[in-house]
Amino acid sequence: MASPAAATLTEMLDALPEALQDRAVEHRREYIHHLRDDAAWDRAFERTKPGLGAAARRARAEIARGLAAPLASSTATP
């Protein structure tokens, strides 16, 4: 059974001429592809978040001990 949102989308598509339906479906296909890609990146980021936090803590500790220097800001003007 389709969700209410999917049913609404189907009704909207059914109201269009067939040529426009094809165009609309292609746009939705691309949009859904991007949504899935974004979701995959979000999952990947969630898996790496603990490691990124640990790396940031190590970098701050090295800077505090004088073993490293912060990177130059990308917003600095020459």
Side-chain angles (χ1 to χ4, degrees), residues 48-62:
T48 62
K49 202 184 268 189
L52 293 172
R57 286 187 293 279
R58 284 192 305 272
R60 283 193 295 272
E62 288 178 6

mmCIF file of all heavy atoms in Angstrom, residues 48-62:
data_model
loop_
_atom_site.group_PDB
_atom_site.id
_atom_site.type_symbol
_atom_site.label_atom_id
_atom_site.label_comp_id
_atom_site.label_asym_id
_atom_site.label_seq_id
_atom_site.Cartn_x
_atom_site.Cartn_y
_atom_site.Cartn_z
ATOM 1 N N THR A 48 32.016 7.750 10.932
ATOM 2 C CA THR A 48 33.360 8.310 11.134
ATOM 3 C C THR A 48 33.403 9.380 12.212
ATOM 4 O O THR A 48 34.495 9.805 12.596
ATOM 5 C CB THR A 48 33.902 8.909 9.823
ATOM 6 O OG1 THR A 48 33.050 9.975 9.403
ATOM 7 C CG2 THR A 48 34.004 7.863 8.729
ATOM 8 N N LYS A 49 32.242 9.802 12.710
ATOM 9 C CA LYS A 49 32.190 10.901 13.672
ATOM 10 C C LYS A 49 33.074 10.666 14.906
ATOM 11 O O LYS A 49 33.818 11.566 15.302
ATOM 12 C CB LYS A 49 30.743 11.163 14.088
ATOM 13 C CG LYS A 49 30.519 12.553 14.627
ATOM 14 C CD LYS A 49 29.094 12.718 15.111
ATOM 15 C CE LYS A 49 28.199 13.241 14.038
ATOM 16 N NZ LYS A 49 26.862 13.600 14.535
ATOM 17 N N PRO A 50 33.038 9.481 15.541
ATOM 18 C CA PRO A 50 33.913 9.289 16.717
ATOM 19 C C PRO A 50 35.395 9.452 16.371
ATOM 20 O O PRO A 50 36.147 10.062 17.134
ATOM 21 C CB PRO A 50 33.602 7.854 17.169
ATOM 22 C CG PRO A 50 32.229 7.571 16.636
ATOM 23 C CD PRO A 50 32.155 8.324 15.331
ATOM 24 N N GLY A 51 35.818 8.936 15.245
ATOM 25 C CA GLY A 51 37.219 9.072 14.838
ATOM 26 C C GLY A 51 37.595 10.514 14.547
ATOM 27 O O GLY A 51 38.708 10.945 14.855
ATOM 28 N N LEU A 52 36.666 11.260 13.953
ATOM 29 C CA LEU A 52 36.941 12.671 13.667
ATOM 30 C C LEU A 52 37.085 13.467 14.957
ATOM 31 O O LEU A 52 37.963 14.330 15.077
ATOM 32 C CB LEU A 52 35.816 13.266 12.811
ATOM 33 C CG LEU A 52 35.705 12.725 11.391
ATOM 34 C CD1 LEU A 52 34.437 13.260 10.721
ATOM 35 C CD2 LEU A 52 36.923 13.095 10.587
ATOM 36 N N GLY A 53 36.254 13.173 15.938
ATOM 37 C CA GLY A 53 36.351 13.855 17.230
ATOM 38 C C GLY A 53 37.672 13.556 17.910
ATOM 39 O O GLY A 53 38.332 14.450 18.469
ATOM 40 N N ALA A 54 38.087 12.297 17.863
ATOM 41 C CA ALA A 54 39.361 11.902 18.470
ATOM 42 C C ALA A 54 40.522 12.590 17.763
ATOM 43 O O ALA A 54 41.463 13.070 18.409
ATOM 44 C CB ALA A 54 39.528 10.385 18.417
ATOM 45 N N ALA A 55 40.468 12.680 16.441
ATOM 46 C CA ALA A 55 41.536 13.349 15.688
ATOM 47 C C ALA A 55 41.598 14.832 16.045
ATOM 48 O O ALA A 55 42.691 15.398 16.186
ATOM 49 C CB ALA A 55 41.316 13.169 14.184
ATOM 50 N N ALA A 56 40.446 15.462 16.208
ATOM 51 C CA ALA A 56 40.424 16.882 16.588
ATOM 52 C C ALA A 56 41.018 17.074 17.981
ATOM 53 O O ALA A 56 41.786 18.021 18.201
ATOM 54 C CB ALA A 56 38.993 17.407 16.535
ATOM 55 N N ARG A 57 40.698 16.180 18.906
ATOM 56 C CA ARG A 57 41.266 16.293 20.261
ATOM 57 C C ARG A 57 42.791 16.121 20.229
ATOM 58 O O ARG A 57 43.521 16.864 20.896
ATOM 59 C CB ARG A 57 40.624 15.270 21.192
ATOM 60 C CG ARG A 57 39.195 15.635 21.596
ATOM 61 C CD ARG A 57 38.656 14.688 22.661
ATOM 62 N NE ARG A 57 38.476 13.326 22.171
ATOM 63 C CZ ARG A 57 37.439 12.900 21.473
ATOM 64 N NH1 ARG A 57 36.469 13.746 21.157
ATOM 65 N NH2 ARG A 57 37.359 11.647 21.081
ATOM 66 N N ARG A 58 43.263 15.157 19.429
ATOM 67 C CA ARG A 58 44.725 14.973 19.305
ATOM 68 C C ARG A 58 45.382 16.217 18.710
ATOM 69 O O ARG A 58 46.444 16.648 19.162
ATOM 70 C CB ARG A 58 45.040 13.756 18.439
ATOM 71 C CG ARG A 58 44.824 12.429 19.138
ATOM 72 C CD ARG A 58 45.419 11.256 18.367
ATOM 73 N NE ARG A 58 44.951 11.168 16.995
ATOM 74 C CZ ARG A 58 43.854 10.520 16.590
ATOM 75 N NH1 ARG A 58 43.084 9.912 17.464
ATOM 76 N NH2 ARG A 58 43.517 10.487 15.316
ATOM 77 N N ALA A 59 44.770 16.804 17.696
ATOM 78 C CA ALA A 59 45.339 18.000 17.067
ATOM 79 C C ALA A 59 45.404 19.152 18.062
ATOM 80 O O ALA A 59 46.428 19.855 18.143
ATOM 81 C CB ALA A 59 44.516 18.388 15.837
ATOM 82 N N ARG A 60 44.327 19.347 18.819
ATOM 83 C CA ARG A 60 44.335 20.425 19.822
ATOM 84 C C ARG A 60 45.418 20.182 20.873
ATOM 85 O O ARG A 60 46.108 21.121 21.301
ATOM 86 C CB ARG A 60 42.960 20.554 20.469
ATOM 87 C CG ARG A 60 41.944 21.256 19.585
ATOM 88 C CD ARG A 60 40.691 21.663 20.351
ATOM 89 N NE ARG A 60 39.933 20.517 20.837
ATOM 90 C CZ ARG A 60 38.990 19.876 20.155
ATOM 91 N NH1 ARG A 60 38.669 20.278 18.950
ATOM 92 N NH2 ARG A 60 38.357 18.859 20.690
ATOM 93 N N ALA A 61 45.592 18.935 21.280
ATOM 94 C CA ALA A 61 46.624 18.616 22.277
ATOM 95 C C ALA A 61 48.016 18.880 21.703
ATOM 96 O O ALA A 61 48.882 19.425 22.406
ATOM 97 C CB ALA A 61 46.487 17.157 22.714
ATOM 98 N N GLU A 62 48.240 18.506 20.447
ATOM 99 C CA GLU A 62 49.542 18.755 19.826
ATOM 100 C C GLU A 62 49.807 20.254 19.695
ATOM 101 O O GLU A 62 50.932 20.712 19.922
ATOM 102 C CB GLU A 62 49.614 18.086 18.461
ATOM 103 C CG GLU A 62 49.716 16.567 18.538
ATOM 104 C CD GLU A 62 49.748 15.910 17.175
ATOM 105 O OE1 GLU A 62 49.809 16.622 16.157
ATOM 106 O OE2 GLU A 62 49.716 14.662 17.142
#
